[in-house]
Amino acid sequence: MSKNSIIKGVFLVGLGATSYGMLATFVKLAYQEHFTTAEVTSSQFIYGILGVLLINIFQKAKSKQAIDQANTRNIFQLMVAGSSLGMTSVFYYLCVKYIDVSIAIVLLMQTVWMGVLLEWFLEKRAPSFQKIIAVLIVLLGTTLATNLLNNTNPIDWRGIIWGLLAASSFTTTMFTANRVARGISSAQRSLYMLLGGAVIVFAFALFTQTTPFNVAIFLKWGIFLALFGTIIPPMLLNAGFPITGIGLGSIVSALELPVSVLMAFFILNEKVIPIQWLGILLIIVAIVLMNITFSSSKK
């Protein structure tokens, strides 16, 4: 593969990860205008489904060859896998409601060690020494990035619980998404996963929305949440990962962490001290270490 192709792949994955990194700040801004979690998640998924549906229609009209269509089994599998995507959005946005974005994104990054445990449990494959070291670095980095040892103001325990639940559901999404219905287009896969996630999101909205639904969310923040959460990132990541490969792509996608913290620092004026930046750097180092190991073992 040419050097230009690799650069293109890195650019696509990096831009997709950057888009994800902006998401939590938009959610926090919506909260400041008194929109609810149900309104935020519902608007994101409704716009997201419409956007991905249009992409599917455009691809079908543009393609000169017949596109493999999802069968009933594919649709069911993808919707079940997508249900964890809906849970991730709900849990993560609830997490952001109670704690700073700069801490919430660190909690979401616990997918690094959760993924290792899930792989060990389901595939009966013990983690390598490199993975164990990477997990220990993540745990140390998390301790520093959340300022757990020196923080005089305790972090709201509700935010911690929702953040860890978001990480666990996101781990499930990543583990299942690449193992079901791989023979159909990424646009179709995204659509059916969004539909599965929408079931969770709409059920959550139905049971938690105690006030009249504020439709102003669709005009104010819904389109931003959909673009940066459910439309642009999957398209860019699906286009970039086949070029970069899982190892390099995972390293580049770690950009989501510093971008999210920088957005919170500059736009939300959240305080991020040097020891927290050190923790963030350690988490990124752990992701690099883990994926360099994967690449080397494949070779």
Side-chain angles (χ1 to χ4, degrees):
M1 190 175 291
S2 69
K3 184 177 180 180
N4 287 339
S5 294
I6 296 293
I7 293 173
K8 178 183 176 183
V10 167
F11 176 77
L12 291 171
V13 173
L15 202 55
T18 300
S19 298
Y20 269 138
M22 297 178 182
L23 194 58
T25 295
F26 291 138
V27 173
K28 201 78 167 181
L29 291 171
Y31 282 156
Q32 290 177 3
E33 297 183 12
H34 307 294
F35 290 108
T36 66
T37 305
E39 290 162 351
V40 167
T41 52
S42 296
S43 63
Q44 177 182 332
F45 271 75
I46 289 172
Y47 272 135
I49 290 169
L50 290 174
V52 175
L53 181 60
L54 289 174
I55 292 170
N56 275 275
I57 293 171
F58 176 76
Q59 286 185 348
K60 189 173 181 180
K62 187 180 178 181
S63 178
K64 296 179 181 179
Q65 298 178 341
I67 298 176
D68 291 336
Q69 297 296 313
N71 56 37
T72 304
R73 178 182 171 84
N74 294 150
I75 294 171
F76 176 76
Q77 289 177 330
L78 287 168
M79 288 188 68
V80 170
S83 63
S84 61
L85 187 65
M87 290 180 193
T88 302
S89 294
V90 170
F91 294 155
Y92 188 47
Y93 294 173
L94 285 171
C95 171
V96 170
K97 187 175 183 179
Y98 294 108
I99 62 178
D100 288 347
V101 168
S102 54
I103 295 176
I105 186 63
V106 170
L107 293 176
L108 188 63
M109 284 293 158
Q110 303 312 297
T111 52
V112 175
W113 63 264
M114 289 182 180
V116 172
L117 288 181
L118 188 62
E119 184 181 55
W120 189 6
F121 177 74
L122 293 180
E123 298 186 354
K124 311 300 181 187
R125 184 169 30 175
S128 65
F129 178 73
Q130 287 86 350
K131 284 186 181 180
I132 294 172
I133 294 298
V135 166
L136 293 175
I137 293 173
V138 167
L139 294 175
L140 174 61
T142 301
T143 303
L144 298 178
T146 55
N147 197 24
L148 195 62
L149 300 178
N150 300 316
N151 197 348
T152 54
N153 299 317
I155 303 172
D156 193 316
W157 62 269
R158 292 171 295 183
I160 296 174
I161 291 174
W162 289 124
L164 292 175
L165 285 173
S168 61
S169 60
F170 190 45
T171 303
T172 304
T173 301
M174 291 191 298
F175 197 82
T176 58
N178 293 320
R179 286 168 170 77
V180 299
R182 297 180 65 175
I184 63 173
S185 67
S186 59
Q188 286 187 75
R189 297 175 80 251
S190 297
L191 176 61
Y192 293 121
M193 287 188 70
L194 279 177
L195 289 172
V199 173
I200 301 297
V201 166
F202 295 157
F204 170 80
L206 183 65
F207 286 103
T208 62
Q209 186 72 13
T210 56
T211 58
F213 193 95
N214 189 350
V215 294
I217 188 70
F218 289 100
L219 301 174
K220 192 67 184 284
W221 294 110
I223 188 65
F224 289 102
L225 296 169
L227 282 173
F228 291 98
T230 53
I231 298 176
I232 293 176
M235 288 179 59
L236 294 176
L237 295 176
N238 284 330
F241 263 95
I243 302 174
T244 61
I246 296 297
L248 179 58
S250 298
I251 293 169
V252 177
S253 65
L255 277 172
E256 178 185 354
L257 178 55
V259 168
S260 188
V261 175
L262 284 170
M263 287 281 289
F265 180 77
F266 286 112
I267 297 179
L268 300 175
N269 296 316
E270 290 186 3
K271 184 179 179 182
V272 185
I273 61 176
I275 196 171
Q276 289 178 273
W277 285 113
L278 176 60
I280 291 165
L281 179 61
L282 285 175
I283 293 173
I284 294 173
V285 167
I287 294 170
V288 172
L289 173 63
M290 188 173 290
N291 286 285
I292 283 178
T293 302
F294 285 158
S295 299
S296 300
S297 63
K298 283 186 177 180
K299 289 180 181 177

